[in-house]
Amino acid sequence: MARKKAKEVSIDHLSAMRALVRIVELGSLSAAARELKVATSTIARKVSALEEMLGVPLLHRSTHHVALTEAGNLYHARAVSMIADLDDTLRVVAELDAEPSGPLKLTAPVAFGRRYLAPLVAPFLKRYPAIQLDLRLTDNHNDMVTGGFDLDIHEGENYLDNLIVQPISRNDSILCASPGYLAQRGRPATPADLAQHNCLRYLHPEGDPRWHLSNGKTVHSVLPQGNLQSDHSELLLEATCAGLGIAEFEIWLIRDLLVSGALEVVLPKYRLDNALTGRQIYMAYLPNRRISTKVRVLREFMAERLKGIGELPEGLAGKVPAGERRKR
């Protein structure tokens, strides 16, 4: 079917755009009309005027249901983004000379959130009491647009397309074990020695089950073998501290245990590479959140307090030969 040519029509385009978005989100013209406190006929006229101006139908209408046409799908997707950008700009301008306020939605991994973000919630909200913080902890990457997230803290580089990123820290991983286990079973000197040890394995559907250890240009790939595997890093950490075996962890998860001596680095001359967790811990946000005052103060607050958390503590750095440490 040939499409009508777009024509000039007198229309409040922004109002019609908002009406169409609410119709789609609520599922009917009448529901959108009730929310917007106007007559259903008024909502219908807005959509009709929009379709007449564009020269294409945007909605398939029935008595109890509406559905987007092909053109409607394209228009709706752009409209949602444009309205979000506009609303965010209006909020930012209003915030320029005001105290940061309003809802602020943050997401982070579960273990990371419990260890590092939970202690920071109260200090942040005491400093900015007009902000309403919504903190969601998950080990899956959320869609920041559909989830309405302002800031995402995660390790790894696999999810950063179309986002602005700010590195917080390197994200180093090491092999470690308890002093008791190493005293009983011995300390491996090379990756090949791991075959004689009980290795505790972390499972992830997208992860490589092997441990990749490098010394200079030589890379050794080892498939860990042992009597425990799990998809829960904190469970493996409990078992490692109890002296069950050798396991791989990111530094941020075990910093305090390394400092206290509860865990020791295994194979300190070798660097451990993990493509799943990546080399950096990032804060990521959408381009339209770049100038938001409340997002900026949250980023600055977190960056100051989380700096370097994924790196080997200074007091232990000397135990790892300088040539094998990752360069800053």
Side-chain angles (χ1 to χ4, degrees):
M1 180 186 296
R3 291 179 175 175
K4 296 180 182 178
K5 185 177 180 181
K7 57 190 286 188
E8 291 187 11
V9 176
S10 178
I11 180 177
D12 179 349
H13 200 148
L14 178 59
S15 175
M17 181 186 294
R18 288 186 183 276
L20 179 78
V21 168
R22 295 311 293 151
I23 290 168
V24 173
E25 291 173 349
L26 296 174
S28 72
L29 277 74
S30 58
R34 284 193 299 272
E35 182 184 274
L36 297 173
K37 295 181 173 57
V38 297
T40 302
S41 58
T42 301
I43 289 285
R45 283 196 298 271
K46 287 178 181 290
V47 175
S48 296
L50 191 58
E51 292 174 323
E52 186 178 357
M53 183 192 73
L54 295 172
V56 293
L58 300 175
L59 292 175
H60 296 296
R61 301 170 177 81
S62 66
T63 305
H64 302 291
H65 181 68
V66 295
L68 289 167
T69 64
E70 179 184 358
N73 268 305
L74 176 61
Y75 182 90
H76 176 262
R78 300 291 182 91
V80 169
S81 178
M82 290 173 64
I83 290 171
D85 285 346
L86 174 61
D87 289 345
D88 192 64
T89 299
L90 295 174
R91 284 195 299 270
V92 169
V93 172
E95 290 174 358
L96 284 177
D97 293 321
E99 177 185 7
S101 63
L104 188 55
K105 199 169 183 180
L106 168 65
T107 182
V110 177
F112 186 93
R114 284 201 296 255
R115 283 179 176 259
Y116 291 101
L117 301 187
L120 297 178
V121 168
F124 177 76
L125 291 178
K126 286 179 180 178
R127 179 177 293 188
Y128 303 106
I131 286 177
Q132 293 94 48
L133 185 63
D134 182 348
L135 176 54
R136 306 294 179 95
L137 301 182
T138 175
D139 291 327
N140 298 315
H141 293 304
N142 283 300
D143 186 306
M144 297 192 69
V145 175
T146 58
F149 289 99
D150 297 291
L151 193 67
D152 186 349
I153 298 179
H154 265 94
E155 69 271 281
E157 291 77 35
N158 299 325
Y159 77 111
L160 301 176
D161 291 346
N162 304 317
L163 298 176
I164 298 175
V165 298
Q166 176 180 339
I168 299 174
S169 167
R170 292 201 322 263
N171 190 36
D172 297 342
S173 295
I174 61 169
L175 297 180
C176 64
S178 71
Y181 173 87
L182 295 173
Q184 181 182 15
R185 298 287 298 271
R187 289 170 171 77
T190 69
D193 294 340
L194 292 171
Q196 309 305 316
H197 285 268
N198 194 42
C199 297
L200 315 182
R201 181 176 157 195
Y202 177 73
L203 300 175
H204 191 284
E206 298 176 7
D208 188 335
R210 297 167 295 174
W211 290 343
H212 300 284
L213 299 118
S214 60
N215 188 342
K217 295 183 179 180
T218 303
V219 178
H220 305 266
S221 295
V222 176
L223 183 63
Q225 301 291 334
N227 61 2
L228 177 64
Q229 60 182 18
S230 177
D231 62 352
H232 198 292
S233 59
E234 290 178 297
L235 184 152
L236 292 175
L237 181 56
E238 290 285 342
T240 306
C241 291
L244 188 62
I246 296 173
E248 172 193 4
F249 296 107
E250 294 161 86
I251 293 291
W252 62 260
L253 185 60
I254 57 171
R255 280 179 65 89
D256 55 341
L257 298 170
L258 293 171
V259 172
S260 69
L263 291 177
E264 292 184 15
V265 180
V266 171
L267 295 174
K269 294 182 179 180
Y270 292 82
R271 188 179 76 187
L272 188 63
D273 293 310
N274 188 322
L276 180 65
T277 58
R279 293 180 176 269
Q280 296 280 343
I281 299 172
Y282 295 100
M283 291 187 289
Y285 52 99
L286 294 164
N288 64 6
R289 300 295 195 273
R290 184 197 300 268
I291 56 176
S292 170
T293 302
K294 60 187 177 182
V295 174
R296 176 180 57 78
V297 297
L298 179 61
R299 292 198 336 260
E300 292 174 352
F301 186 91
M302 293 298 175
E304 178 184 350
R305 286 156 179 80
L306 300 177
K307 182 179 180 180
I309 58 168
E311 303 169 16
L312 201 64
E314 288 297 327
L316 298 176
K319 298 182 180 181
V320 182
E324 300 305 325
R325 290 182 226 138
R326 290 184 183 172
K327 294 181 179 180
R328 291 184 182 269

